[in-house]
Amino acid sequence: MIRLGTGRLDRIVAVGAHCDDIAIGAGGTLLTLCRARPGVRLDALVLTGGGGEREQEERAALAAFCPGADLRLTVHKLPDGRLPVHWDEAKAAVEELRERTEPDLVLAPRTDDAHQDHRGLAKLVPTAFRDHLVLGYEIVKWDGDLGRMAAYQPLSPEIAEEKVRLLQEHYASQRHRPWYDREAFLGLARIRGIECHARYAEAFAVTKLTLDLGE
């Protein structure tokens, strides 16, 4: 297993189609990053759920997942499950985010995610963030779209447990879902940990990666 670093991370972008996507897909990575780099700037964008309970959950959750970070969260009100027919609004939101930040890392959904909202957002991200490292996070669901991943962020047992605790604590509106439980989140993290010789991990898809091996 080869370990590659990114250099110093001062600015991060995280985008999600729905409130809770970012935390489910990359919550452990955010906890790890923010604890290692106090004061890191995180610009987060969520396209649906604005103006109600879901936005309140998201603001409280991301504050907990990003301790000590300079968190700047925007939650829009596009309709859940209908992002493909609101392409112009979604694209404008992503481009507006790009205009106000120059990130070292972008966390986004995978382009081969089975959910139309996730997949649509994933395809928009590289049109705005063209020269950036984009890691595509995964979200377990009934579609059965999990696959082979290219990049892994190992998680300590403490971080993995905290991720699960925060997901359960902050997203009360999702607790009724059959896949939204401790076993699902820790089980996937354990499998991804096995794949990268760690106890737990989050895994990411990488569409394009430029190496600089000469320095």
Side-chain angles (χ1 to χ4, degrees):
M1 177 65 65
I2 297 175
R3 292 178 178 263
L4 298 177
T6 61
R8 183 170 179 83
L9 296 175
D10 295 315
R11 292 180 175 231
I12 303 168
V13 158
V15 298
H18 315 103
C19 297
D20 78 14
D21 285 356
I22 295 170
I24 292 174
T29 297
L30 288 176
L31 282 167
T32 301
L33 280 169
C34 292
R35 288 183 173 175
R37 306 183 188 281
V40 64
R41 174 170 165 174
L42 174 65
D43 288 275
L45 170 68
V46 179
L47 294 182
T48 69
E53 175 192 15
R54 296 284 276 143
E55 178 175 352
Q56 294 174 8
E57 289 181 339
E58 186 75 340
R59 291 192 177 280
L62 288 189
F65 273 103
C66 304
D70 177 9
L71 175 61
R72 309 180 187 196
L73 170 62
T74 302
V75 183
H76 287 276
K77 299 180 181 180
L78 297 182
D80 188 347
R82 298 290 185 269
L83 288 190
V85 296
H86 292 270
W87 185 263
D88 288 344
E89 297 100 312
K91 184 174 178 62
V94 173
E95 290 178 343
E96 189 278 331
L97 173 64
R98 175 66 183 94
E99 290 174 359
R100 56 186 166 87
T101 187
E102 183 63 54
D104 304 303
L105 170 66
V106 179
L107 300 170
R110 298 177 297 131
T111 55
D112 56 353
D113 192 297
H115 193 294
Q116 68 274 12
D117 290 353
H118 301 170
R119 188 171 62 251
L121 175 56
K123 292 179 179 179
L124 278 173
V125 168
T127 69
F129 295 93
R130 293 180 175 273
D131 298 310
H132 302 79
L133 174 61
V134 179
L135 298 181
Y137 56 73
E138 59 183 347
I139 297 177
V140 63
K141 50 190 172 300
W142 74 272
D143 304 83
D145 62 352
L146 300 178
R148 297 188 65 178
M149 305 298 273
Y152 298 83
Q153 172 58 51
L155 305 178
S156 69
E158 294 77 18
I159 290 289
E161 290 283 357
E162 184 170 3
K163 173 184 175 177
V164 173
R165 180 182 65 80
L166 292 176
L167 286 173
Q168 294 289 355
E169 176 182 342
H170 288 287
Y171 295 106
S173 66
Q174 304 303 299
R175 292 177 192 154
H176 68 284
R177 299 184 182 278
W179 54 267
Y180 196 92
D181 60 30
R182 171 186 170 84
E183 289 181 302
F185 297 133
L186 274 186
L188 180 57
R190 180 69 185 109
I191 291 170
R192 296 315 190 189
I194 291 171
E195 294 173 351
C196 68
H197 296 166
R199 183 64 185 173
Y200 298 106
E202 287 177 338
F204 301 90
V206 181
T207 302
K208 185 183 293 186
L209 177 65
T210 299
L211 299 175
D212 186 356
L213 303 179
E215 293 187 359

